[in-house]
Amino acid sequence: MKKSFTLIELIFVIVIIGVLASVAVPKFKNLTTHAKSSGVKSVVTSVQSSIDNIHGKWIINDNYIWDPDGDGNTNLNNEGYPTSLDSGKDETSLFKYVLKIPVPSCGGRTQSCWKEYDDNRYEYIYSSNKILKIDYNATAGTLECIDGVGITKEKCEQTIY
């Protein structure tokens, strides 16, 4: 006598798999967005930590010279913070003055990338209608959120802090 599953048993198993899939799929829906936000937070945290490290060295060492561009002059303001984080808005490697491994800029890409749109003003482009904007305040040595496209200052702060 052959043992096999009945049609009702097979349908029952298919229904259970469908119910499990309907529960699991929404959990993974925003996974990409969460991963991108984690990457943004990681970059911002690394840059801020490096700025704080440079400032700490300035506090501890009299006449501390921080010269990332190699021109022989210090690139610190009177408060001991870097005057800039890279060499300008058309730079292909962002934050190269403060990070050992700079963040590549958008280049030819139009989403999921960092861009310096003005000196010391950066944006992370999720998509054309969702852009997170951050300014570097050299006086205070802080990265500060501003209103972006589809992302308010408050939402930006929730993302990176």
Side-chain angles (χ1 to χ4, degrees), residues 3-120:
K3 289 189 175 185
S4 61
F5 295 109
T6 66
L7 184 59
I8 292 179
E9 290 172 328
L10 291 173
I11 290 174
F12 186 69
V13 169
I14 291 170
V15 167
I16 290 173
I17 291 171
V19 168
L20 290 174
S22 68
V23 170
V25 168
K27 299 259 185 218
F28 296 109
K29 183 179 177 187
N30 293 324
L31 196 57
T32 303
T33 303
H34 291 299
K36 289 177 183 177
S37 293
S38 294
V40 168
K41 184 174 185 173
S42 176
V43 168
V44 170
T45 303
S46 296
V47 170
Q48 187 62 59
S49 178
S50 182
I51 292 166
D52 294 341
N53 184 29
I54 293 165
H55 181 67
K57 288 179 182 177
W58 178 82
I59 291 173
I60 293 170
N61 300 310
D62 291 338
N63 301 319
Y64 179 67
I65 303 288
W66 182 69
D67 183 21
D69 56 5
D71 66 358
N73 299 315
T74 188
N75 290 55
L76 298 175
N77 61 21
N78 293 335
E79 289 80 24
Y81 292 108
T83 54
S84 63
L85 305 178
D86 52 45
S87 59
K89 72 177 185 175
D90 294 324
E91 185 60 48
T92 56
S93 298
L94 304 179
F95 312 115
K96 74 178 187 179
Y97 286 177
V98 293
L99 296 179
K100 287 184 180 178
I101 301 172
V103 176
S105 65
C106 287
R109 294 181 298 162
T110 58
Q111 63 182 19
S112 302
C113 58
W114 282 95
K115 178 181 175 186
E116 186 173 8
Y117 66 95
D118 202 359
D119 289 339
N120 289 330

